[in-house]
Amino acid sequence: MGVTHKAGMLRSLSAGALLLALTLLVISALVLNVTLTSLSDSRKLVERTNAIARQMAELQASLREAEAGQRGFVLTGEPRYLRPYESAVRRIPMQFDRLRALVMYPVQIERLNALWPLIDAKLAELAQTVALRSRSFDEALAVIRTDEGQRMMEEIDVIIESFQQTQRDLLEIRAAEEQRRATWTTGIAAGTGFMSLLCALLSVFFLIEQRGRERLVASEERFRQLAENIQEVFWIWDPHFSRFLYVNPAFERVWGRPREAVYEDIGKWFAPIHPEDRARVEGHYFSLTNVSDFDDMFIIRRDDGTTRRIRNRGWPVDAGARDVRYLVGVAQDITEIHNAQQALLKLNEDLEEKVEERTTRLKEVNLELDAFAYTISHDLRAPLRAMHGYADAIMEDYAEALPEDGRFYAQRIVAVARHMDGLIEDLLTYSRLSREEITSRPVSLEVVVDEIIVALAPHIEQTGATVEVLRPLPEVKAHISTLRQIIDNLLSNAIKFVSRGVNPRVRLWAQRNGERIRLFVEDNGIGIEPEHLGRIFNAFERLHGIEAYPGTGIGLAIVRKGVERMCGTCGVSSVPGKGSCFWIELPAARNGNGNGNGA
Ligand code: ADP
């Protein structure tokens, strides 16, 4: 409130100073106008005084000129001396009239009044002598010798001298007056100008101060709005006087006590804190030497008996003055969050327990299923073998007696029984892979690959296939019989899935990838459409009919299950019509041992 009041006062002061500056300017203009007029009058007076003195001096000079002309003529009788005389005589009345028009000072007017009869008489005397000289030199000389003319001239000079003296005195007084007025005018102009500039500067200063105050008011208002509306308890602590400077209204909701009480008694803040936490919390507030950031958690017991869990964070801020720092902070009621976290933790624990239970159950069911499949497969084998045996017996013993159709059916029974036996064999292998304990040991890929090639030699020969191995092949960590099964499946497929009339060309090589070895089996076969690549590793997924490419559809499922059980992975890339490249990746047997191609 104080800041708002001050801002209003500053606004009034600024306006007042501006008004004063304007008033001073107006007054200054008026006074200057008056003083400048009076200065101008005074200047005119000085000029007139000067002009009168000049005029009088010219009149005196004309009188001298007239007298000199008269003397010259009287002495020489030469008419050329009359020209200056006559010119001076013509000028003198005009000069005197001009003087009369200029002079206003009473004493000087009186002097002029006394001067003119003398000048007039003098001019008459001069005219008389000139006229006499035209007749006779002696008569004219006689008049001059009377000294009457000389006396008149002296009288005239005396009056002119006193006239000029008075003019000089007047000039001195008037010039001094003019100087005084000029000084005054300058002083007034400078004084009022300076004062109004000062007032204008003051006005600007007050205006800037007022703007600053207004900004402070706005920022205080924003702070108040924020602090009073947030849900968290916002506080400011003065560690030097161990007191709260500010606590926002949220305190009443969280602590359940009126916040005003905290200003008088800081115990209202600290007393409800759980005894186990209190000393630690107080340590943050009462340490003068170590006012530092903290992020703390404590429990309070409210007057109504309920407890709340509080997260209290504080950090020091500069209080403006040197060496003085306040602590500001936020205390957040995290009871609900904490309870929710606890519930979530409990839920997670329950969930983990349940997942574990279900996984165990699932494993058991899987094992049961595998056992079931194994038993079924096993049990199916006996009747199948009997069926196979009987069909063989019929073919051997009664082939002659049977008609053509009978022989064909008996042959189909043998073929189907063989296929079914293969299927059961593969199923047994697959379910064995799931159930049996598998232990990996270092195995030489090269040895296994060679064994398979030897085993498949008749088939290779029969199909006219070429199998190229890029040696040496490294050692991997694997279960040897499973690895054998996998490579056998991949190599058999590579030889099998070629277009009719094409000789299969298979290439095998390995590549080290850090701690892992990748074995590639590449063929020039029919390839696989991209949309089927994702499913061919599933059991019973076949892309072709048994007539075109015989098989059970379990070979690649065995590959995947086998590598997974040996902690490996598998995959394929393929270009339809050009060939496929299957790969398996297994852990390397030893660091650096193994020499995979391209490794
Ligand atoms: P099977 O070979 O007994 O048919 P697999 O599980 O080994 O079964 O293979 C599944 C299917 O994947 C095959 O039927 C075939 O369509 C496709 N396939 C497997 N290997 C290749 C290959 N090298 N080239 C093209 N297709 C292949």
Coordinates of all heavy atoms in Angstrom, one line a residue, residues 493-494 496-497 523 526-528 536 541-544 550-557 580 582, ligand 1:
N493 N 17.3 -77.2 -46.9 CA 16.4 -76.2 -47.6 C 17.1 -75.5 -48.7 O 16.5 -75.3 -49.8 CB 15.9 -75.2 -46.6 CG 14.8 -75.7 -45.7 OD1 14.3 -76.8 -45.9 ND2 14.4 -74.9 -44.7
A494 N 18.4 -75.1 -48.6 CA 19.1 -74.4 -49.6 C 19.2 -75.2 -50.9 O 19.1 -74.7 -52.0 CB 20.5 -74.0 -49.1
K496 N 17.1 -77.8 -51.5 CA 15.8 -78.2 -51.9 C 15.0 -77.1 -52.7 O 14.5 -77.4 -53.8 CB 15.0 -78.6 -50.7 CG 13.6 -79.0 -51.0 CD 12.9 -79.7 -49.8 CE 12.9 -78.9 -48.6 NZ 12.0 -79.4 -47.5
F497 N 15.1 -75.9 -52.2 CA 14.2 -74.9 -52.8 C 14.8 -74.1 -54.0 O 15.1 -72.9 -53.9 CB 13.7 -73.8 -51.7 CG 12.8 -74.5 -50.7 CD1 13.2 -74.8 -49.4 CD2 11.5 -74.7 -51.0 CE1 12.4 -75.4 -48.5 CE2 10.6 -75.3 -50.1 CZ 11.1 -75.6 -48.9
D523 N 21.8 -69.3 -50.9 CA 21.6 -70.2 -52.1 C 21.1 -69.4 -53.3 O 21.0 -68.2 -53.2 CB 20.5 -71.2 -51.7 CG 19.1 -70.6 -51.3 OD1 18.7 -69.7 -52.1 OD2 18.5 -70.9 -50.3
I526 N 14.7 -70.3 -55.2 CA 13.5 -69.6 -55.7 C 13.3 -68.3 -54.9 O 12.5 -67.4 -55.4 CB 12.3 -70.5 -55.6 CG1 12.1 -71.0 -54.2 CG2 12.3 -71.6 -56.6 CD1 10.9 -71.8 -53.9
G527 N 13.9 -68.2 -53.8 CA 13.7 -66.9 -53.0 C 12.4 -66.9 -52.3 O 11.5 -67.8 -52.5
I528 N 12.1 -65.9 -51.5 CA 10.9 -65.8 -50.7 C 10.3 -64.3 -50.9 O 11.1 -63.4 -50.8 CB 11.2 -66.0 -49.2 CG1 11.8 -67.4 -49.0 CG2 9.9 -65.9 -48.4 CD1 12.6 -67.6 -47.8
I536 N 7.9 -67.6 -41.9 CA 8.4 -68.9 -42.2 C 9.1 -69.6 -41.1 O 9.3 -70.8 -41.1 CB 9.3 -68.9 -43.5 CG1 10.5 -67.9 -43.2 CG2 8.6 -68.6 -44.7 CD1 11.5 -67.9 -44.3
E541 N 4.4 -73.5 -41.2 CA 4.2 -72.5 -42.2 C 5.0 -72.9 -43.5 O 6.2 -73.0 -43.5 CB 4.8 -71.2 -41.7 CG 4.0 -70.5 -40.6 CD 2.7 -69.9 -41.1 OE1 2.4 -70.0 -42.3 OE2 1.9 -69.4 -40.2
R542 N 4.3 -73.3 -44.5 CA 4.9 -73.7 -45.7 C 4.4 -72.8 -46.9 O 3.2 -72.5 -46.9 CB 4.6 -75.2 -46.1 CG 5.0 -76.2 -45.0 CD 5.1 -77.6 -45.5 NE 6.3 -77.8 -46.2 CZ 6.4 -78.1 -47.5 NH1 5.2 -78.2 -48.2 NH2 7.5 -78.3 -48.1
L543 N 5.3 -72.5 -47.8 CA 4.8 -71.6 -48.9 C 4.5 -72.4 -50.1 O 4.0 -71.8 -51.1 CB 5.9 -70.5 -49.2 CG 6.4 -69.7 -47.9 CD1 7.5 -68.7 -48.4 CD2 5.2 -68.9 -47.3
H544 N 4.8 -73.7 -50.1 CA 4.5 -74.5 -51.3 C 3.9 -75.8 -51.0 O 4.0 -76.3 -49.9 CB 5.9 -74.8 -52.1 CG 6.7 -73.5 -52.2 ND1 7.7 -73.2 -51.3 CD2 6.7 -72.5 -53.1 CE1 8.2 -72.1 -51.6 NE2 7.6 -71.6 -52.7
P550 N 8.7 -81.3 -51.1 CA 8.3 -82.1 -49.9 C 8.9 -81.5 -48.6 O 9.9 -80.9 -48.7 CB 8.8 -83.5 -50.2 CG 9.8 -83.3 -51.2 CD 9.5 -82.1 -52.0
G551 N 8.1 -81.7 -47.5 CA 8.7 -81.2 -46.3 C 7.5 -81.2 -45.2 O 6.4 -81.4 -45.6
T552 N 7.9 -81.0 -44.0 CA 7.0 -81.0 -42.9 C 6.5 -79.6 -42.4 O 5.6 -79.5 -41.7 CB 7.6 -81.8 -41.7 OG1 8.8 -81.1 -41.3 CG2 7.9 -83.2 -42.0
G553 N 7.3 -78.6 -42.7 CA 7.0 -77.2 -42.3 C 7.5 -77.0 -40.9 O 7.1 -76.0 -40.2
I554 N 8.4 -77.9 -40.3 CA 8.8 -77.7 -38.9 C 10.3 -77.3 -38.9 O 10.8 -76.9 -37.9 CB 8.5 -78.9 -38.1 CG1 7.0 -79.2 -38.2 CG2 8.9 -78.7 -36.6 CD1 6.6 -80.5 -37.5
G555 N 11.0 -77.5 -40.0 CA 12.4 -77.3 -40.1 C 12.9 -76.0 -39.6 O 13.8 -75.9 -38.7
L556 N 12.3 -74.9 -40.1 CA 12.8 -73.5 -39.6 C 12.3 -73.2 -38.2 O 13.0 -72.5 -37.5 CB 12.2 -72.5 -40.6 CG 12.9 -72.4 -42.0 CD1 12.4 -71.3 -42.8 CD2 14.4 -72.2 -41.8
A557 N 11.2 -73.8 -37.8 CA 10.7 -73.7 -36.4 C 11.8 -74.3 -35.4 O 12.1 -73.7 -34.4 CB 9.4 -74.3 -36.2
S580 N 18.1 -66.9 -51.5 CA 17.9 -66.5 -50.1 C 19.2 -66.6 -49.4 O 20.1 -67.3 -49.8 CB 16.9 -67.3 -49.4 OG 15.7 -67.4 -50.2
F582 N 20.0 -67.2 -45.4 CA 19.6 -67.4 -44.0 C 20.8 -67.3 -43.1 O 22.0 -67.5 -43.6 CB 19.1 -68.9 -43.8 CG 17.6 -69.0 -44.4 CD1 17.4 -69.2 -45.7 CD2 16.6 -68.9 -43.5 CE1 16.1 -69.3 -46.2 CE2 15.3 -69.1 -43.9 CZ 15.0 -69.3 -45.3
Ligands
ADP1 P1 9.9 -77.5 -45.0 O1 11.3 -77.3 -45.5 O2 9.8 -78.8 -44.3 O3 8.9 -77.1 -45.9 P2 10.7 -75.4 -43.2 O4 10.2 -75.0 -41.9 O5 12.1 -75.8 -43.3 O6 9.8 -76.5 -43.8 O7 10.5 -74.2 -44.2 C1 9.3 -73.5 -44.2 C2 9.1 -72.9 -45.5 O8 10.0 -71.9 -45.8 C3 9.3 -73.8 -46.7 O9 8.1 -74.6 -46.9 C4 9.6 -72.9 -47.8 O10 8.4 -72.4 -48.4 C5 10.3 -71.8 -47.1 N1 11.8 -71.9 -47.2 C6 12.6 -72.5 -46.3 N2 13.9 -72.4 -46.8 C7 13.8 -71.8 -48.0 C8 14.8 -71.5 -49.0 N3 16.1 -71.8 -48.8 N4 14.4 -70.9 -50.1 C9 13.1 -70.7 -50.3 N5 12.2 -71.0 -49.5 C10 12.5 -71.6 -48.3

